[in-house]
Amino acid sequence: MKVLVTEEKIREAVERLGKKISEDFKDEEHLLIIPILKGAFVFAADLIREINRDVEVEFVRSSSYVNTESSGKVKTSIYISTDVKNKTIILVEDIVETGITLENLTNILLSSGAKDVRICALLDKPMKRKVEIDVDYIGIEIPDSFVVGYGLDYNNKYRNLKDICILDEESK
Ligand code: 5GP
Ligand code: MG
């Protein structure tokens, strides 16, 4: 498979994001980091170790059902075992494409009483965006190809690759 983002470039991006988040939230009382499973677990594990302040971590799994027949609406159901009321939250995502997943989660968290919801994504495919969302922290912009590795999968394979690679035909 062709390497798109090397392990080293990933590390640089993660360090930069962690540093920025540490600065931006140094005076915030409570910071809750919510990685979106499964894809973001590798990124989040590295990211939180670049944040030099207290953080609470909770995971969500976003299952989106796209109703292609009618409106193309996405339903997201989440369960979080902590109270989000008055907390500043950073949603951690592996990659943003249409933005629908993040828009949904943000709305759910805000309506549950979160003080503020920010978004941190390792990868961004801006040309695929369908809804307008503010991605506050972006690691690396990539072209419109399907990528795997560093947590990202193809049918649950390749999450363990150290680099981010473009999935080729032979690897499907
Ligand atoms: P969206 O922004 O369209 O709501 O969804 C983004 C989600 O689609 C990501 O969390 C990820 O699960 C999946 N996704 C989008 N692009 C890719 C890609 O290139 N590779 C992989 N493995 N997943 C992707
Ligand atoms: Mg995902």
Side-chain angles (χ1 to χ4, degrees), residues 61-78 100-101 104:
R61 176 129 191 217
S62 156
S63 39
S64 309
Y65 305 91
V66 182
N67 184 349
T68 46
E69 291 253 312
S70 58
S71 57
K73 265 190 195 154
V74 174
K75 254 198 207 159
T76 309
S77 48
I78 61 165
I100 293 170
T101 310
N104 262 274

Side-chain angles (χ1 to χ4, degrees), residues 36 39 64 93-102 125 128-129 142 145-149 152-154:
I36 304 169
S64 309
E93 178 62 304
D94 49 6
I95 183 164
V96 189
E97 207 174 53
T98 63
I100 293 170
T101 310
L102 284 163
K125 289 182 188 170
K128 297 279 275 194
R129 203 75 90 247
I142 63 165
S145 8
F146 192 85
V147 293
V148 294
L152 290 129
D153 75 309
Y154 171 71

